[in-house]
Structures are given as structure tokens and as C-alpha cells.
Amino acid sequence: MAFTLQLGEQAPDFKLPATDGKTYSLKDFADAKVLVVFFTCNHCPFVVGSEEVTRATALKFMEHGVEFVGINANSVRTKPDDSFAHMVERMSEKNFPWTYLHDESQDVARAYGGLRTPHFYVFDQDRKLLYSGRGVDNPRETDKMTVNDLDNALSDHLAGRPVAVPLTNPIGCNVKWDGEDEHWMPAEACDLVPQTK
């Protein structure tokens, strides 16, 4: 079993600084009908390749009370480009429609079990996990993607349906854990569902 939050579990709290100069905790998003927490970063080609699709998904569902929170937990010793200063630069340049938080201690990433960048967690109004995994099936080259699992999960939930596919394997670079080789995490840790050919 992967060391990540399981479906139906409660969203762990956090208290993290954001690129806007404020500090946020879970309760600051209490008004959100649905909360999407995702582990992300500045440099990963899977994040960069899919960030405009993520932006479009966030904007699409914003009017339905869905809020997005991105968390960068990567070790700056492993990836200097993932420093907080670079996060501020990136947000200033891109103006993403989400709150961008820095998890320097990596405690929040451990609490959630963030596996890859990006790795999405969708929580209902009671902050119970209803979807975990990838955003799309080809985040590095979204012109070749065939499914937007994040959009599908949000659409299902907001329509009052059970999420048809609540669990997918996150696709991306592994979270860069401090003191570990950047590819330290075993690949099977990200096998949340059996691979089908």
C-alpha cells in the first residue's frame, strides 16, 4: 500500500506561507464547497507541461465553489529552482488561479503522502478525500492527453454522482525528499491502482 492519504480520509491541516505573503491553514478555505490540494513545483516537466490545463480546470470550477491550493514541498537542496523566491517569481509571471504554498519542512507532504508532482487530492465539503491521483493521462504532453481525470472527478461530485474513477496513479517527477537522492522513491510507491495494459 502506498504511503498516501486513503479515500474517505480527512484532509490534514497545515500552516504554510504563500507566495502572496500570507500564511494559510486549512480553515482559511472553509468556504470552499470542494477543495483541491495538489503537490506541485516550479521546474518539473510534468507540472510545466500540464499547468495550463490545470489552470483551465481551476477556472472552470471556480464558479461552482471549488478552490485550488498548490503546495511545493521539494527540497531546495535537491532542486534549487524550487526555492520560495522562485515560487514568488513564477506566480508573479504566471498568475495562477490558486494559492501557492511552500512546505519547506515537508511535514505536510508527509501527512498527505504526496507522491509526485503533480499529485492531486480532491476533498468534499466535509474535507473527506474523494479523488486522488493524476490530473490528466499525459501531463508532459497535454496535446496528446485523452482524459482529464481531475475534471471528471469534479464534474461527477458536483453533479451529485459518485466519482466514477476515484483513484488513479499520479504521473510526474517524485517529490524531492530532503537528504534523499532525487529518484529515491520506489516506483511502486505510486502504484495506487493496478496498471492495465
Side-chain angles (χ1 to χ4, degrees), residues 182-197:
E182 64 177 287
H183 301 296
W184 160 78
M185 187 183 289
E188 60 269 19
C190 299
D191 289 343
L192 306 186
V193 291
Q195 294 284 4
T196 54
K197 296 294 182 188

Side-chain angles (χ1 to χ4, degrees), residues 1-2 7 132 134 165-170 188-196:
M1 178 62 69
L7 293 172
S132 174
R134 68 194 187 186
V165 181
L167 201 59
T168 58
N169 294 330
E188 60 269 19
C190 299
D191 289 343
L192 306 186
V193 291
Q195 294 284 4
T196 54

Side-chain angles (χ1 to χ4, degrees), residues 25-93:
S25 63
L26 196 60
K27 70 176 184 300
D28 290 309
F29 304 96
D31 290 342
K33 189 173 181 181
V34 178
L35 186 65
V36 179
V37 175
F38 64 107
F39 289 87
T40 184
C41 64
N42 299 323
H43 81 280
C44 170
F46 296 90
V47 169
V48 174
S50 59
E51 63 193 7
E52 290 308 316
V53 173
T54 305
R55 181 199 299 275
T57 304
L59 291 173
K60 174 181 175 181
F61 289 100
M62 190 181 288
E63 64 188 51
H64 300 288
V66 179
E67 282 198 61
F68 278 58
V69 176
I71 300 177
N72 177 11
N74 278 357
S75 167
V76 294
R77 280 179 276 275
T78 309
K79 287 291 178 188
D81 285 351
D82 282 327
S83 70
F84 185 68
H86 281 108
M87 290 172 59
V88 172
E89 283 176 23
R90 187 147 181 75
M91 183 56 103
S92 174
E93 175 195 343

Side-chain angles (χ1 to χ4, degrees), residues 71-136:
I71 300 177
N72 177 11
N74 278 357
S75 167
V76 294
R77 280 179 276 275
T78 309
K79 287 291 178 188
D81 285 351
D82 282 327
S83 70
F84 185 68
H86 281 108
M87 290 172 59
V88 172
E89 283 176 23
R90 187 147 181 75
M91 183 56 103
S92 174
E93 175 195 343
K94 295 288 189 176
N95 193 30
F96 293 123
W98 50 77
T99 306
Y100 195 12
L101 305 177
H102 189 214
D103 179 22
E104 185 177 10
S105 71
Q106 302 189 310
D107 289 343
V108 177
R110 278 187 283 271
Y112 279 76
L115 297 171
R116 296 197 182 279
T117 53
H119 183 173
F120 293 87
Y121 298 82
V122 179
F123 297 95
D124 66 14
Q125 198 149 24
D126 298 322
R127 298 301 176 255
K128 292 195 182 329
L129 185 65
L130 56 89
Y131 174 81
S132 174
R134 68 194 187 186
V136 300

